[in-house]
Amino acid sequence: MQQLSFKNRIASNYIITTALLIFVVFCVIYSVVRLTFYNDIDGDIALEVTTHLNEIKINKNDFHLVHEDEWKEREHNTVDVNPVFIAFYDKEGSVLEKSPNLKNEVLHFDPSAADNELYDTKLLKNKIRQIQVPIFSNNVSIGHIIIAMSLEGPTLVLNRLAQVLIITYPLILVLLFFIARFIAGRSIKPINAIINTSNNITRDNLTARIPLPQNKDELYTLSKTINNLLDRIENAIDREKQFTSDASHELRTPLTVLKGTLEVLVRKPRNTEEYLDKITFCITEIDRLNQLVDQLLLLARFENQKKSLSIENLYLNGTLLDVISRFSSTIENKNIQLRANFNEDYYVQTDNYLFSIIISNLLSNAIKYSAQDGVIVINIQRKNNKIECSIVDSGIGIAAEDLEKVFNPFFRSDANEHPQIKGTGLGLSIVKKLCLLLAIEIQFTSKVNNGTSVILSLDEAKLK
Ligand code: ADP
């Protein structure tokens, strides 16, 4: 069974059940026909018994037919399709009288056999149905009447019927097997399409899709699900390719700038001021490179989900103040007014380290994209059983058409419009990935030249 193909397995299972069913039906047909024949014959014999018992006259120790000649005449001349054999026996078991159609034969009388019971026996090698009925005088058996009818016709019909059933049985099963196999083959055709398409799919050729079957059944759903899966895999691989090419481009750019600056510097001797200027520039580029590598490593790490989460009850006010304090010098340099509106102590359930990275990236952007003397407001509030933490700045804002893209790796909105603001385009990709990992809902709204607002929605900690 294991080696059979799927369609043969379906056909075989179907045939096993059908074979049992047909066998039962055939047995029922045979039994019903046999029973009908026997009922008919038994009825006829019973009728003959009654008729003949009425035709005998019983004396004290013996009996005789009332109209013997008439009876003989009748038995001789009646044209019967199924003749009735009749014989009378005295109490010693000798034949007294018998119907002329028996000619030289006698119906076998068995003194030990049960009276009034119908049974099958033979007369001249032919099957007959027979009954022996005792004749009583004053409750004493004085002889027997034996009546028999030929079973030849019914036996012939029953044998024929059995032959027909036995021959047609395997033929029907073989025919049904091939029909079932054909239908099963047609029904699982989409599976072959799935196998063929899957064989054609390689890492470099992910465009092939399974043709959808016409019937909207389980195989249609399976094909559609696999096609959706292929879509997702293709997108993921495209994204990965794009990421790799963007990453190598982003890494190469500062290296090219560094190389170019140093090459120009060594071409001829420079004064100290020029050296200082170029070296400071190179240090800034190396810092940028460093930051880029750090962020790429961070992204790669969460891509593989290697960092196992350590969810704990976190004092949100404290974590936010910690992150703010890390940016205090930048905030001071830009003379940004930062307002933290924490009305009460809030506790959330999350991973401290990863949540700090999210807040750092968001606050860093809020500061970076705010103008000198800008305002940043950090709010915490309870809403719909959640704790909402928002970081709102009044910076340059993001164009509506770019809002969707800011989470894509290396995407920088209108970077040429503000070349002085440095960035890698990876900060928000990291934020998005971490939010997904920590099941934190993030909402981003922004208006150009008006500012940006980010709302994080977290689960409140259940404190005892
Ligand atoms: P970057 O290193 O460029 O800041 P991010 O992934 O952090 O990279 O942000 C992607 C882009 O989204 C930024 O280049 C910027 O155009 C836009 N952006 C993010 N945060 C803000 C903000 N608070 N105000 C204005 N623009 C923002």
Side-chain angles (χ1 to χ4, degrees), residues 365-366 368-369 393 397-398 406 411-413 423-428 452:
N365 278 353
K368 211 160 65 170
Y369 296 102
D393 67 56
I398 307 166
V406 289
F411 179 82
R412 303 204 67 222
S413 171
T424 59
L426 287 174
L428 288 184
T452 305

Side-chain angles (χ1 to χ4, degrees), residues 392-407:
V392 185
D393 67 56
S394 50
I396 61 170
I398 307 166
E401 65 270 20
D402 286 349
L403 257 182
E404 292 251 304
K405 302 179 202 154
V406 289
F407 292 105

Side-chain angles (χ1 to χ4, degrees), residues 91-105:
K91 62 181 169 205
E92 274 78 39
S94 314
V95 181
L96 284 175
E97 202 62 68
K98 62 178 184 178
S99 57
N101 55 8
L102 276 168
K103 301 203 171 111
N104 296 329
E105 296 307 313

Side-chain angles (χ1 to χ4, degrees), residues 314-317 343-348 380-382 387:
L314 192 77
Y315 179 44
L316 186 58
N317 309 37
N343 299 331
E344 51 178 298
D345 289 342
Y346 294 97
Y347 291 86
V348 287
I380 316 180
Q381 60 169 353
R382 201 172 271 107
I387 301 290

